[in-house]
Amino acid sequence: MTRQTWSLASELATNRRQFILSGASLAVLPWLGGMTLGQSRENPTFKSDPFTLGVASGDPSPDGMVLWTRLAPEPLAEDGGLPGEIYPVRWEIASDDAMQDIVKKGTALATPQLAHSVHVEVSGLEPDRWYWYRFSCGDAQTVVGRTRTTPRRSAKPDQLRFAFASCQHYESGLYTAYEHMAKEDLDLILHLGDYIYEGAARENNVRQHNSREIETLAEYRARLALYHTDEHLQAAHALCPWLVVWDDHEVDNNYATDISEQKGVEPRDLLLRRANAYQAYYENMPLRARSMPKGPDMKIFRRIPYGRLAQFDMLDTRQYRSDQPNNDKAGPLAGDVFNPDATLLGDAQEKWLMAGMLRSTSNWNILGQQVMMGRANRGAEDQDRFSMDQWSGYDVPRSRLLKFIAERRIPNPVVLTGDIHKNWVNDLQVDFDNESDPVVATEFVGTSISSSGNGIEKPREHESVMSRNPFVKFFNGERGYVSCTVTPKEWKSDYQVVEYIDKPGAPLVTRASFVVESNKPGAQQA
């Protein structure tokens, strides 16, 4: 470990110790949810529907998945409008959509310490098949959700269909893209970050946030609840299992470890805010107990195999990164972009990722992550090649990862990315300054669901981006998501867009489709 890296780690550890020792940390200790605090309601009755936030499932395995819901009869009120009591929530999972053949059932406790959320980890199911589930509490019952198990680890599935999305700013527009996604026949949905935005309510938008800029645990809970109330988002959650990871807006724009982009914010204060945000995120996502946060730390990088067809490595490029170079500003480069000690994944996650790819027996090796890996030149100046908050601002670890993929001949690597509110298709090279450098992987970047408002098919920088970057195969500025069909021989990505989101009813348009052939890196337009 270098002196600079040791200094950063030592300072961060000190900040965390100070955070844990502070009395304020007691408000955000998530493991309190496992304690039987408060009175239990055996047969509760509700004046209104307590299941206003819908249902979801996630992190599937060959024999199960996690099922999620949360009791919140008044979703935007503090504590969801419930007293500080424990509620027994019954769950059922069936082999048919009419819920006639119940194969598993039980009762989970919804505790106030975890915002009356329920995370049921189901096991003992058959691999590679669909199931249906629902929850009930007292006289109330949820809609029926659909979920599925993955194939056995040794199986060789013929096909996988999934979609990925990101960046769903509530104020900026309607979730019309989810309305269309919920009508697709998908096995999985990936969300690659910016599930919520932390900013204060603003006037003259399509919709409005429900508070000031969020910082407290109660505020993060209410903001996540607001987003969950969207009917189209609920429909997409109920369609199939989700794999979720965060980016920055789930906490604070462009934060890095315990460093805020905002001036004057002490590391201890950001750690407290991060703990509030992480706990609320866990409470409102279909995540297993292994992801339960401990104060300002929450492990969300994980591996989900889909038989021998695909392996999903879901990454966290936010929590462990060193601070952005150049104070996160574009301009003349001071050498920070090429800092050999910089990290985006952190040492432990990077080693975990590389070891997992080496051991993989899957045909397609998929990185589900947040920020663009391709180093695109967007303007006339040399520094325009580098976006400080993306992989291009961390040139050494980016090159190290791509060089590892090339030298170890990782089978069919595909990078899936969100964050940037644009659609891109990038062929990835170790040396982006050498046009003849071999393509080692393909990156599919999905636009936003709603962030940045109504999009445009060809942004003003379209000609510059396409002419200056031969590795960029597609660039588009509309809203939407990406649907992927994966077989042993071929990967196909359909760029699904809607032309407007400031009013309902926008039709779905497949703007472009790209294919990657197995064992032949590089994307070709279908």
Side-chain angles (χ1 to χ4, degrees):
M1 180 181 289
T2 67
R3 179 177 299 177
Q4 181 177 355
T5 304
W6 181 89
S7 177
L8 174 64
S10 177
E11 181 181 356
L12 183 56
T14 300
N15 288 329
R16 284 181 176 144
R17 283 194 296 270
Q18 292 174 346
F19 169 88
I20 293 299
L21 291 173
S22 71
S25 66
L26 296 177
V28 290
L29 295 180
W31 51 85
L32 288 178
M35 300 174 64
T36 55
L37 302 178
Q39 300 297 315
S40 178
R41 287 281 196 98
E42 293 301 327
N43 294 294
T45 58
F46 302 95
K47 295 180 180 179
S48 60
D49 181 14
F51 294 112
T52 57
L53 307 182
V55 300
S57 66
D59 282 17
S61 68
D63 76 333
M65 71 292 293
V66 58
L67 307 179
W68 172 91
T69 193
R70 180 183 161 201
L71 299 176
E74 299 176 38
L76 304 187
E78 188 168 356
D79 299 323
L82 289 177
E85 298 176 343
I86 297 172
Y87 291 81
V89 177
R90 300 180 300 278
W91 59 272
E92 298 173 301
I93 188 164
S95 62
D96 63 308
D97 58 359
M99 299 296 296
Q100 296 298 307
D101 182 22
I102 304 297
V103 296
K104 293 279 184 179
K105 62 181 180 180
T107 300
L109 297 180
T111 69
Q113 290 77 30
L114 288 175
H116 295 106
S117 63
V118 173
H119 299 73
V120 177
E121 297 191 30
V122 183
S123 60
L125 301 177
E126 296 179 15
D128 197 18
R129 65 152 297 163
W130 288 102
Y131 289 93
W132 288 260
Y133 65 96
R134 67 187 175 195
F135 298 90
S136 58
C137 184
D139 57 353
Q141 191 172 82
T142 68
V143 299
V144 174
R146 189 180 73 150
T147 189
R148 69 168 297 134
T149 52
T150 58
R152 296 185 192 278
R153 191 66 187 92
S154 58
K156 297 180 179 180
D158 293 330
Q159 180 177 278
L160 164 65
R161 292 205 72 242
F162 72 94
F164 67 91
S166 65
C167 303
Q168 52 195 49
H169 197 295
Y170 185 85
E171 292 189 321
S172 296
L174 305 177
Y175 293 169
T176 310
Y178 280 133
E179 181 180 9
H180 292 292
M181 186 190 294
K183 297 174 184 176
E184 292 208 35
D185 184 17
L186 302 173
D187 299 305
L188 287 170
I189 293 174
L190 276 61
H191 197 283
L192 302 179
D194 293 343
Y195 191 95
I196 63 168
Y197 281 72
E198 78 282 19
R202 298 176 299 174
E203 297 180 352
N204 302 318
N205 284 300
V206 178
R207 301 189 285 190
Q208 195 168 34
H209 277 159
N210 55 330
S211 68
R212 63 167 194 166
E213 180 164 343
I214 53 178
E215 295 182 359
T216 69
L217 177 57
E219 289 168 343
Y220 278 104
R221 284 171 168 170
R223 183 63 56 86
L224 278 152
L226 173 68
Y227 279 57
H228 268 296
T229 59
D230 185 274
E231 62 176 324
H232 301 314
L233 178 57
Q234 287 192 16
H237 269 301
L239 178 69
C240 62
W242 283 44
L243 307 180
V244 300
V245 286
W246 56 43
D247 192 19
D248 53 341
H249 288 289
E250 286 86 353
V251 180
D252 182 32
N253 183 46
N254 287 1
Y255 80 95
T257 58
D258 61 346
I259 301 168
S260 173
E261 187 185 51
Q262 302 177 42
K263 294 181 179 180
V265 178
E266 292 295 326
R268 172 175 164 172
D269 294 332
L270 183 61
L271 285 174
L272 177 57
R273 184 177 184 180
R274 204 173 88 175
N276 292 331
Y278 285 4
Q279 178 169 344
Y281 185 82
Y282 174 79
E283 292 168 348
N284 286 276
M285 291 293 133
L287 290 166
R288 293 179 180 267
R290 65 191 179 200
S291 294
M292 185 178 287
K294 298 179 181 178
D297 299 297
M298 182 172 167
K299 183 179 176 182
I300 63 165
F301 65 86
R302 59 206 189 279
R303 181 166 294 124
I304 294 91
Y306 196 86
R308 295 185 64 181
L309 178 61
Q311 174 173 290
F312 291 91
D313 285 324
M314 304 300 292
L315 304 182
D316 180 355
T317 63
R318 186 58 57 181
Q319 183 177 184
Y320 312 106
R321 67 163 66 193
S322 47
D323 194 16
Q324 291 91 340
N326 292 2
N327 295 318
D328 198 21
K329 304 296 182 184
L333 297 177
D336 293 347
V337 165
F338 305 103
N339 181 356
D341 298 323
T343 180
L344 201 66
L345 299 177
D347 186 59
Q349 183 180 192
E350 184 174 308
K351 289 179 179 177
W352 167 87
L353 173 61
M354 291 180 174
M357 286 194 291
L358 280 178
R359 293 194 300 267
S360 174
T361 58
S362 294
N363 191 70
W364 299 92
N365 287 278
I366 306 165
L367 308 188
Q369 55 98 56
Q370 296 80 5
V371 292
M372 195 163 89
M373 195 171 289
R375 199 191 70 184
N377 191 329
R378 297 171 174 83
E381 302 298 328
D382 181 65
Q383 64 263 19
D384 292 331
R385 295 177 296 159
F386 302 93
S387 178
M388 302 307 159
D389 194 55
Q390 298 171 12
W391 278 94
S392 59
Y394 299 77
D395 192 79
V396 173
R398 181 195 62 78
S399 298
R400 183 169 60 240
L401 178 58
L402 291 174
K403 186 177 181 181
F404 168 85
I405 288 172
E407 292 180 347
R408 297 305 181 98
R409 299 183 179 180
I410 302 302
N412 296 321
V414 177
V415 180
L416 305 180
T417 301
D419 174 64
I420 201 169
H421 309 173
K422 299 287 194 301
N423 287 312
W424 300 68
V425 177
N426 301 324
D427 284 344
L428 299 180
Q429 304 163 287
V430 176
D431 184 0
F432 282 93
D433 293 321
N434 180 4
E435 290 187 23
S436 63
D437 204 43
V439 175
V440 301
T442 299
E443 180 179 32
F444 294 110
V445 182
T447 186
S448 65
I449 290 289
S450 62
S451 302
S452 298
N454 288 339
I456 183 171
E457 184 176 353
K458 292 185 177 181
R460 56 183 174 82
E461 68 270 31
H462 182 271
E463 183 177 346
S464 176
V465 166
M466 297 304 295
S467 64
R468 294 175 180 274
N469 303 281
F471 70 89
V472 176
K473 304 303 179 181
F474 179 62
F475 177 61
N476 166 274
E478 293 169 289
R479 306 284 78 84
Y481 60 95
V482 183
S483 294
C484 303
T485 303
V486 183
T487 70
K489 293 183 178 180
E490 181 183 271
W491 176 303
K492 183 183 179 187
S493 287
D494 295 319
Y495 279 78
Q496 312 283 39
V497 302
V498 291
E499 295 179 349
Y500 54 86
I501 56 170
D502 59 347
K503 56 186 177 181
L508 189 69
V509 177
T510 302
R511 184 60 69 198
S513 297
F514 285 83
V515 168
V516 179
E517 297 178 23
S518 182
N519 299 317
K520 187 178 178 181
Q524 304 295 326
Q525 190 152 12

